[in-house]
Amino acid sequence: MPKPKVGIFSLTCCEGCQLEILNCEDELLDILGAIDLVSFGMAQSNNLDIDLDIAFVEGTVVQRSEVAILKKIRDRSKLLVAIGACATNGGVAAIDYDKDREELKRIVYGEAGDFIPSITPAALHEHVKVDFALQGCPIEKHQFINAIGYLLHGDLPLLPEYPVCTECKRKENECVLVQHNIPCMGPITSAGCDARCPSHYLGCDGCFGPVDEANVAMEYSIMKEKGMADDEISRMMQVFAAKSPIIKGQFKGD
Amino acid sequence: MSSRTIKVDHLYRVEGHGGIRVELDGKKLLDVKMEIFEGSRFFEALIRGRHYNDVPMIMCRICAICSASHRLVAIKAVEKAIGLEVSPQTKRLRELLILGEIIESHTLHLFCLAAPDFLGFPGVAAMAERHGDVVKMGLGLKKLGNQIQEIIGGRKIHQVNAEVGGFGKVPEEEQLMELRRALEDKLGDALEAVAFIESITVENITKSPSIFSALTNGEENYSYTGDTILVSTGETMPVEDYKKLTNEFVVNHSHAKHSLYKDKPFMVGSLARLYLNRQKLKGKAGQEMKRLEKSFDPDNILWNNLGQAVENLQSMERAIEIIDQLMGDGYREEEIVKPLKIKGGSGSAGTEAPRGTLYHSYTIDSDGLVTDADVITPTAINLENMEKDIRAATILAIDDAEEDLKLKLEKVARAYDPCISCSVHLVDLRKEKNSQP
Amino acid sequence: MIDFARKSLLDNPYLPQQCRIVASTPQTDDTMLFRVRLEDDRLAESFSHMPGQFVQVTVMGSGECPISIASSPTRHGFIDLCIRKAGRVTDAFHNLGQNALFGLRGPYGNGYPVEVMEGNSLLIVAGGIGMAPLRSLLWYALDHRSRFKDVILMYGARDQEDFLFKGELLSLQGRDDVKTLLVVEKDPDNSWEGDVGFVTELFDDVDLDPETTYAAICGPPVMYKNVIDKLLDCGFSKGRILMSLERKMKCGIGKCMHCSVGFKYTCIDGPIFTYWDAINMREII
Amino acid sequence: MKIVKLPKNKTNDFIEHLQSFGEVHAPQKKGKKSCAFQPVTDPSKVLIGEEGFLRTILPLKKYFHKPVDTLLKFSPKTGFEDAYEEEGNKVIFGVHSCDIHAILSLDRVFSGKYVDTYYFRRRKKVAIIGISCVPDDLCYCQSMGTSFVEEGFDLFLSDVGDGYLVKVGTSLGDDMVSSAGDMMTGYGDSDINEYKRRINEFPSLFKTKVDEADLPAILDMEYKSEIWEEMGNRCFNCGICSMVCPTCFCFDVNDEVCLDGETGERKRCWDSCLFKSHAMVAGGHNFRESRADRFKHRFLHKHQAFMGDFGRPSCVGCGRCTQDCPADIHFVGMVKRIKDDITCVHSGEEEK
Ligand SMILES: Cc1cc2nc3c(=O)[nH]c(=O)nc-3n(C[C@H](O)[C@H](O)[C@H](O)COP(=O)(O)OP(=O)(O)OC[C@H]3O[C@@H](n4cnc5c(N)ncnc54)[C@H](O)[C@@H]3O)c2cc1C
Ligand code: SF4
Ligand code: SF4
Ligand code: SF4
C-alpha cells in the first residue's frame, strides 16, 4: 500500500499545534517513515500542491484570503482534520468574535492599520466540511500520534467523549473545585490533556473545548455558589471556545 | 537587463506566514520587503477588560515557540503593575523555564529549520535520510528543552503551571534531579552541536554591520532576564523606557509593525546578546566562545546560528547551576502569592526570548482588569534589520543565478529565526506612523 | 471467598483465537454472510454452541463486537456470521477480504433453551437482520426435525434488496415439514412473487396452539411490540415468547456493564429473554 | 480466630517488617488535604485513624482493576498476545472495613462463570491489612452493613487505645505476625473491655444513617419520580462518582494502533454509565438517552440491581461519591428522599 499523502497547514494562530507535531521527538522519524509528508510549511520547503489523503489544519480563519486557502486545501484532501482549539472552536482569536473588527483594528494599529484585512474569526467548520477534530490548545502529542496510527489503519481516530474530571480522577488528583474552591472548567471540558491544570492545583481553563453534553448551566451555578461574579464566569467560559454553540447558548441565548 | 522582481512567496521553515520581495532594475536595487501575511488576532485589544490573572493564559497564545517567554514576561509586567513580589525560588524556577525554552527553540531552529539550508535539503525529513545521527542528536537536545518546560511549566507549549504570583505546583525535587541528570548527559551533544553548526555556517553573505540591543541584569552571569536595555551604540536605559528604543510604526506591506532606533534598524537575538554580553559566558560555553572569538563576526548574520548553538550549551550549564542553587537553598513547596488588595497601575517588563528582546506592558485598574496593553516582539523589531541584510545580501549576490540568490536571501531571513505569529499585533495607539523622536 | 488457587484464574477469557474467512456471500448492499473457520483445527472441530449464542469478533486495530452465530450447531467445522456494516468494526470486517484472519472468542450468551423447547411446536418470527440468530435455530430444528412438532417461519424484510438468505429461504418453501411465510414490506416494481406486507399480517395464515408452541422473535424494536401483541392475542404465555435482545457490548462475559438492563446482563443472562423477563426488567424494550 | 496485640509504638516497626512480604502500600498524603494508597518509604508518613477519618481519593480497586490497563498486544504476524505484566507482591496496609467489603463485591463481579484473569492475577498478589476507623459526617457504612468485616483481610487491626488488637484472617497473616517477634504481645482484660466498649459505642458515632430496607421495591415504584429529572439536570456526567466508587467497575475497551498502522494494543479503561456513549449503539440509538435515565441507572444499579445479582446493594457507604461530586449531589440524601420522605420525592426541595 502506498504511504498516505499528508499535508500540515496553518492559518492564523500561534502555530503551537504544528510545533507539538515537531515535539514528537522520539516518534518523528517513525511518523515521517509512515507517511508521505508532501506539505509542511513550518518544517520543509519542498511543498507540493497535489491531492492529499489527509490534511491537518491548525489556526483560525481571520482574513478573507484564508477562506480561499482553506477551501483549496479542502478541495484537494480526502480527509480534513482540524487540529487545536483555533481550528475547532475559533480559539483565543475568537474571544471577541462578536465585537466590531474595525474597532479592534483601530485599538491595535491605529489609523495606520486600515489596510489590514480582517473578518469575523471562524473555526474551520464554519467555512468547510471538517471530517475530524483534535482538541486542545495546543493538541496533545499522544493524541496526534494515536490519530496517525488509526488513520493509517483506515479508521477515524478515537477520542475520549468524557470530561477532564474523569482523567483527573483516574490520576487520583485531589479535586481543586471541591476541595479548594478553585473555579475549574473540568466538568464541562473534553478530556484528552491528562488533566494538566488540576494536576498543578489550577482550575482547568477549558482549552480542550466543551465536552459533548456539557452541562454549562450547572457549571455556571456552581461557579456562582463558589463566589464568582457573573462577568467573571462569563470571561472564564469564553476563552477557548466562545463560539461553540454550547457555550454561546449560555451567554448569547442562541 | 530591465526591472525584475525576486520573490520568495512563502518563506518556509519559519514559524508563521511571510515572504520576501526584492525589486531590481538591472543591477540597481529598488526595494526590499519582508512581507508578513499572518492574520491579526488583535491581542492587545482582546486582553482589555480581562482580569490580570487571564493575561498569561491568553497572551502566551501569541506564539507557541516562545510561549514561555510571552507567559513569563506578561506575568512579570502584571506583577510590576499590581506591585506583587515573588519568592527567590519562584524567580529561579522561572529562569529555568526560560532556559528550557531557549534550548528547545534554538535546537529546533538549528537542526530542523536552518541546517537543511546549508546541507542542501528541502527539510528535516529529507535531511534525516542522509544525516540521521545529526538529526537524532538535535532532536535529543530539543527534547531536553521540552522536558524542562514540561516539568517546570506543566506543558511543553503554553505552560499551565506558571501564573501571576508563582507556580500552581512546584516540581518535585526528584523531577529536578532527573532533569539535572538528563542535562549532564547531554552536555557532550551540546558541545558537538556547536562544532556541527560551526562546520556549516561560515560564509558571510551580508557583510553588513548592525546595531545590537539586549537586556542585562547587572549580574555576573549570562542571562535572559534583566531590567536594563543595552544598545551597542553605548546607551543604556531602564526597561520601562523600551518605547524610546523600539518606536514601532506600521508599514503597508506588513501586518507586523517595524522598529527603528534613531532612524536606524537594529537587531535583537542571539547575535546581539553575544555581541553585548559574551564576556559573561562561563564554563564550557565560555571556553567555546573564546575558541571561536577569532572568527566572531557580528557583520555576518549567519553567526546568529552559531550564537544559538553557543547559547544552547550555556543554557544547559546554567540550568544545572540553577537546579543546584534551588536544592542548596532548601527547596520547598510554595503557594502562589496573591496581592492583599489590588491597586491599579502600569508595569512594563522585558525578557530575552530565543529570538531576542520581548517587551510586554500592561495597565491594570483597581478591579484588576486590564485597560491597556502593549507587546513588542523580537521578530517585529528585527524586520527592518532583516530588510537591511537582505538588501546587503542582494547587492553582494546580484550576479548569482536567481535560484542561488533566492536561497541566499532565505538563508538570511531564516538566520533571524523569525517568528511571524509573534510579530503580528498592535502598534501603540499613541504613536502615528513614522513619528520617531 | 475466592479460591485463589483456582486454575481458571489463569485462563484469559479476553484472548481471541485466530479465525479465517473461508467464504463470503453478499446478502444485501451492506450485509454479507461470512463462513469462517478457526485456524486451530482441534478448536475448529470441537467448537460447539447453542442457537442464539453469539461470538465476539475482532478486527485487529478496529476493535471487537458481538455477532450472532448464524449457523446451526448441527453443522460442524465452520461458523456462519451474517454481518451488517454499521460502524467501525463491522465496516472493517467487510474490508478484510477473502481468506483474511480475524479474532474470535466465544460462544457467549445463553442461547435458546432448546431442551425445553423440544417436543413443542416452533414459531420463528424474524425481521431484517434479526434472521441471523434465528437461522441457527431454524436449521437446528430442521436438522432435528423429529424433536419438534410444527415448525413455522415468518420472515419479513423491508424490500427484496434487504432480504437475507434469499435463495436458502425460498427453497424452504418447497419443503413440507416447515411452513415458510416470507413477506416484503415494499415491492415497488412488482417483482416479488410472494406476499407484500408486514410479518404481523402473516398470523392470519397460521393456526397456532399457544399451549404447545414456543415463539422465537428477533428483529427491529418496532416489530417486537406488534408481534408480541399478536402472540398475546393468540393466548401465548409470556414465558413462551422468546426474544433476542441487542445492547451495547464490550466484553461479552458480564464484566464491562455496557449491556446491563436492570440486574441482568444481556451478554450472559441473555441475549435470549422471555417476554416475562422483559417486562419484569425496566428499560428492556 | 487468632488475635494478638500490636502496641502503637511498634506500628512503624511492623510496617517496616511487612516490607519483607511485598511492597507495602498505605494511605499517605496526596495533594494538600487528601490521602491516597501509595508505596511506603517512610512508615512515619503513613496516615491511620488518629487524625480523624481519612478517605483515600481512589479506593483499592485501582490495584486490581487499573484505571487504564493493556489487555492484549496484537500484530498481524503473531496474532494476539496477553499483555499482562507480572507484578510483585504487595501488602496494602490500613484498609477500612467498607473498602474491604467493596473488594469482596468486586471479587464476585470479576469471578463467576467467566473469570477476569487480569483482575485476579493481581488480586492474588495482594495482602490486605485492615484497620478500624472512626466515621466522619459522610460515612454511612453502618447503614449499608459494611462497618464490620469477617473476611477479606489477612490481618485486621482494631484500635484499643494504646495498641491494636490484630485479628489474623489467613495463613499469610499468621506468617506476618509470627515472624514479627516481640513486636506483637498478648492482650489482657483491659484490652478486651476497651474493644467491647468501642464496638458498642461505634453505632452512635454515625451522623449519617439511611434505611435500605425494601429499597429495591420502592425504587421500582419511584421509577417515574421527578427526582431523576431533577438530578439529571444537576449532574455533569463527569464520571467522578464512578471513578472514586470502590464498587463501580464499568470499563470501556478499545484498540490502539501503532505508527505502522497494524500492530497495537487492546486497552481497557474505567468507564461510567453516566456517559452518553455508555449505552449508545452503532447508528446512534441510545438505550439511555437522557442524563436523567443514566443517573437513575447508576443509582438503581447500586441500590437495586446489584441486590438482584448478589443479594446486597453494591454501595458500601464509603461516602466518596458525595464528597467528590462537583455538582454537590448528595447521594445519601437521595436515598433518604426516596426511601423516607415519599412526599418529597414527587415534588419539593432537595434536602442536603
Ligand atoms: C448479541 C448480539 C448479537 C448481534 N448479532 C449481530 C449479527 O449477527 N449481525 C450483525 O450485523 N450485527 C449483530 N449485532 C450488532 C452488532 O454487534 C453491531 O452492529 C456492532 O457492534 C457495531 O459495531 P461497530 O464497531 O461496527 O460500530 P460502532 O458504532 O463503531 O461501535 C463501536 C463499539 O460499540 C459496541 N456496539 C456498537 N453497537 C452495538 C450493538 N448494536 N450491539 C452491541 N455492541 C455494539 C461494540 O463494542 C462496537 O465495537 C449483534 C449485537 C448483539 C448485542
Ligand atoms: S479538579 Fe476539576 S477536573 Fe479535576 S475532578 Fe475536580 S472539577 Fe474535575
Ligand atoms: S486541564 Fe483544561 S485547560 Fe488545562 S490543559 Fe487540560 S483541557 Fe486545557
Ligand atoms: S456509591 Fe458512593 S458511597 Fe456508595 S460505595 Fe460508591 S462511592 Fe461509596
Side-chain angles (χ1 to χ4, degrees), chain A residues 9-20 22-26 28-29 32 37 39-47 60 62-63 65-66 86 92-96 99 101 103-113 115-118 137-138 140-141 193 196-197 199-202 205 207-208 231-232 234-236 238-240, chain B residues 11-17 37-46 48-51 54 57-58 60-65 71 104 108 112-113 122-125 128 132 135-136 139 142-143 146 150-151 153-158 160-161 163 168-169 250-256 336 369 410 414 421 424-429 432-433:
Chain A
F9 303 93
S10 174
L11 304 176
T12 295
C13 61
C14 78
E15 317 234 327
C17 294
Q18 286 193 60
L19 185 61
E20 187 65 7
L22 287 173
N23 280 346
C24 304
E25 289 101 357
D26 291 334
L28 199 58
L29 297 180
L32 294 173
L37 190 58
S39 189
F40 188 5
M42 189 168 172
Q44 64 188 32
S45 330
N46 53 335
N47 300 308
T60 315
V62 304
Q63 24 182 5
S65 59
E66 288 174 324
C86 299
V92 287
I95 287 181
D96 283 337
K99 291 217 178 114
R101 298 282 102 192
E103 191 188 316
L104 294 176
K105 199 187 292 180
R106 201 101 355 129
I107 295 177
V108 179
Y109 295 92
E111 301 290 326
F115 72 96
I116 290 169
S118 173
C137 184
E140 288 284 337
K141 157 182 159 165
C193 67
R196 285 188 186 269
C197 299
S199 304
H200 290 88
Y201 285 102
L202 301 161
D205 294 333
C207 78
F208 266 62
D231 59 331
E232 283 178 293
S234 151
R235 282 199 302 265
M236 161 173 153
Q238 298 187 79
V239 177
F240 295 100
Chain B
L11 186 60
Y12 291 118
R13 277 186 282 127
V14 300
E15 202 249 14
H17 309 296
F37 13 85
E38 181 89 18
S40 303
R41 288 172 290 165
F42 309 127
F43 271 100
E44 286 94 335
L46 53 83
R48 289 187 180 191
R50 287 252 159 198
H51 193 264
D54 295 350
M57 162 180 73
I58 293 175
C60 75
R61 263 77 187 188
I62 290 177
C63 165
I65 303 201
R71 195 163 185 118
E104 194 280 329
L108 170 73
C112 301
L113 312 184
V124 63
V135 173
K136 275 214 182 92
L139 290 176
K142 177 170 145 20
K143 187 177 169 191
N146 271 335
E150 178 94 46
I151 288 175
R155 181 155 64 192
K156 296 183 279 292
I157 302 170
H158 304 326
V160 295
N161 197 19
E163 294 274 6
K169 178 169 178 262
V250 177
V251 294
N252 272 323
H253 58 271
S254 161
H255 304 175
I336 288 181
L369 303 182
E410 284 192 46
R414 218 169 274 126
S421 308
V424 178
H425 60 276
L426 129 159
V427 219
D428 182 5
L429 231 194
E432 296 304 315
K433 189 181 176 188

Side-chain angles (χ1 to χ4, degrees), chain A residues 164-165 168-169 175-177 184 186-187 198, chain D residues 240:
Chain A
V164 173
C165 293
C168 194
K169 277 292 161 287
C175 181
V176 299
L177 180 69
C184 181
Chain D
I240 291 183

